[in-house]
């Protein structure tokens, strides 16, 4: 069983790094093969563009969607996209570990989706949502926040609830390409939590990952 982890934090001593390590340990202890895509450390390119293709369709006018469709048959993508697509293709459970930035995933995670989950690989015009090309795989969002649940609830009339905040990624990306979405794990405000509360969050996260891994078998 394969579990790629798409990980987005610069700092190896961060709470996100601790969560990523907890997930890797829990999955490996359960016999899974884990591959971490450490997006910042690897300098993953977040902005989609013409340089993402090793062969172009020949069209004078550049269209990202048009080039995706052309590249799908020939895998005419640059190596970082091909590597990520190979990991996704082999995945049973795909984890995303990131801090909430501006009530959304950081740009580097969004860029990962833009560049990796391409037309012809993850979906087609006919193969979307319940029938997406990545049907059968599971995806899980593992998120940290700066705000406490109370602060987020107080602002939710303006920003949306946490469920609504995550929906563009969980529904608009993961479900769009056919994945089954696991309940997310949200570590609220680790920066203002006590050491004991942070330790409890990591233990709860390990149990959350173990349960998802069991469901995915
Ligand atoms: C551009 C930007 C936009 C943002 N937008 C939002 C937003 O819209 N909404 C919102 O709520 N927040 C927002 N934030 C805040 C951000 O979400 C939080 O700062 C982030 O989620 C905290 O996670 P971290 O991994 O960086 O925590 P860290 O600050 O790295 O860690 C928190 C604490 O955990 C400790 N720790 C690390 N490892 C361990 C371990 N193994 N065991 C126990 N403790 C450990 C650290 O030492 C630290 O004390 C934003 C931040 C930025 C930069």
């Amino acid at each position: 069983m394969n579990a790629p982890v798409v990980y987005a934090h610069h700092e190896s001593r961060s709470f996100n790094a601790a969560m990523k390590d907890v997930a890797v340990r829990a999955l490996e202890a359960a016999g899974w093969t884990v591959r971490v895509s450490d997006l910042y450390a690897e300098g993953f390119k977040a902005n989609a563009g013409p340089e993402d293709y090793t062969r172009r369709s020949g069209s004078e006018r550049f269209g990202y969607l048009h080039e995706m469709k052309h590249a799908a048959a020939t895998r005419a993508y640059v190596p970082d996209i091909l590597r990520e697509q190979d990991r996704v293709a082999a995945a049973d459970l795909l984890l995303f570990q990131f801090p909430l930035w501006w009530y959304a995933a950081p740009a580097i995670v969004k860029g990962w989706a833009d560049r990796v989950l391409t037309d012809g690989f993850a979906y087609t015009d006919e193969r979307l949502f319940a029938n997406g090309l990545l049907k059968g795989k599971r995806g899980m969002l593992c998120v940290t926040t700066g705000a406490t649940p109370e602060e987020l609830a107080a602002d939710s009339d303006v920003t949306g609830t946490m469920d609504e905040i995550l929906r563009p990624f969980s529904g608009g990306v993961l479900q769009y390409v056919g994945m089954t979405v696991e309940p997310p794990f949200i570590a609220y405000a680790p920066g203002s939590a006590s050491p004991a509360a942070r330790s409890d969050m990591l233990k709860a996260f390990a149990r959350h990952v173990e349960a998802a891994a069991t469901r995915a078998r």
Side-chain angles (χ1 to χ4, degrees):
M1 303 292 278
N2 289 304
V5 178
V6 178
Y7 163 66
H9 202 290
H10 305 89
E11 172 55 60
S12 62
R13 290 158 297 181
S14 66
F15 200 76
N16 272 267
M19 287 179 68
K20 177 259 298 170
D21 292 341
V22 162
V24 171
R25 276 198 299 274
L27 289 161
E28 287 184 343
W32 286 61
T33 302
V34 185
R35 298 263 181 280
V36 176
S37 299
D38 187 342
L39 300 184
Y40 288 114
E42 293 166 13
F44 188 83
K45 185 168 92 65
N47 56 318
E51 61 286 351
D52 288 344
Y53 302 97
T54 51
R55 280 184 302 282
R56 292 273 300 279
S57 66
S59 166
E60 266 181 38
R61 182 173 160 275
F62 177 73
Y64 202 77
L65 202 53
H66 174 77
E67 293 298 332
M68 275 186 199
K69 288 178 200 266
H70 174 258
T74 54
R75 283 170 57 88
Y77 294 110
V78 289
D80 65 336
I81 293 179
L82 287 179
R83 186 196 75 164
E84 292 302 303
Q85 289 187 339
D86 287 345
R87 288 184 180 183
V88 172
D92 301 288
L93 174 64
L94 183 57
L95 266 59
F96 294 86
Q97 177 69 56
F98 59 84
L100 191 68
W101 278 12
W102 291 110
Y103 297 91
I108 203 164
V109 178
K110 175 63 164 50
W112 181 95
D114 293 344
R115 296 181 62 233
V116 174
L117 300 179
T118 54
D119 189 320
F121 168 71
Y123 67 93
T124 65
D125 291 344
E126 297 77 32
R127 300 282 308 273
L128 301 170
F129 291 110
N131 201 25
L133 294 179
L134 301 185
K135 185 177 178 175
K137 302 180 188 301
R138 290 166 177 267
M140 186 165 109
L141 303 183
C142 313
V143 182
T144 62
T145 71
T148 62
E150 295 75 22
E151 288 165 340
L152 287 163
D155 298 334
S156 63
D157 283 353
V158 178
T159 62
T161 62
M162 201 60 193
D163 186 43
E164 289 163 345
I165 289 165
L166 295 184
R167 202 171 299 156
F169 207 93
S170 60
V173 177
L174 302 184
Q175 283 183 283
Y176 187 90
V177 298
M179 289 191 199
T180 300
V181 175
E182 286 288 336
F185 186 92
I186 300 153
Y188 289 101
S192 53
S194 67
R198 287 200 297 267
S199 169
D200 286 348
M201 281 186 222
L202 292 176
K203 286 180 195 148
F205 181 52
R207 291 193 296 274
H208 193 89
V209 172
E210 283 159 11
T214 302
R215 282 190 292 274
R217 280 202 181 273

